[in-house]
Amino acid sequence: MTTPAATPAPVAESRKDSLIEYPSRFPIKVMGPNVDGFVHAVTQVARRFDPAFDAGTVELRDSKAGNYLGITITVTATSREQLDELYRTLSTHPMVKVVL
């Protein structure tokens, strides 16, 4: 006895690549040295991926000793590819130590 072959579901129905609904506001935490130019560098990268990025929404947090700075940027995420490339770009920036 043979069983009928199952028809595969379309890719979009069989799995979701992301739990995020696009477009959506997406916060990203970036940490690096507490030096002049670090905040500007991070906001410039954010603008490359989100032309409507509002630098007024940036949140800053100094480390306990003041040597490092935590920056929270909130971008409008339009796709998984955009977020992946944004994370890659931030992670490879010479001033950035950690991206969450």
Side-chain angles (χ1 to χ4, degrees):
M1 178 186 324
T2 61
T3 57
T7 304
V11 173
E13 291 178 15
S14 65
R15 67 178 175 90
K16 286 202 175 227
D17 288 338
S18 178
L19 297 176
I20 301 169
E21 286 189 34
Y22 298 102
S24 69
R25 303 291 293 151
F26 193 85
I28 299 172
K29 294 183 187 281
V30 184
M31 289 174 260
N34 192 355
V35 296
D36 287 340
F38 179 53
V39 174
H40 180 72
V42 171
T43 58
Q44 287 301 104
V45 171
R47 278 195 188 95
R48 281 179 41 205
F49 291 90
D50 177 7
F53 174 74
D54 179 6
T57 63
V58 171
E59 297 175 30
L60 305 176
R61 240 178 244 113
D62 289 329
S63 68
K64 190 173 185 177
N67 297 326
Y68 293 94
L69 183 64
I71 303 173
T72 301
I73 58 172
T74 303
V75 297
T76 300
T78 56
S79 69
R80 172 76 182 251
E81 293 77 19
Q82 175 215 27
L83 285 178
D84 288 347
E85 191 58 32
L86 174 55
Y87 270 89
R88 241 185 312 282
T89 301
L90 286 169
S91 297
T92 59
H93 192 284
M95 296 179 89
V96 174
K97 301 297 180 196
V98 178
V99 180
L100 303 172

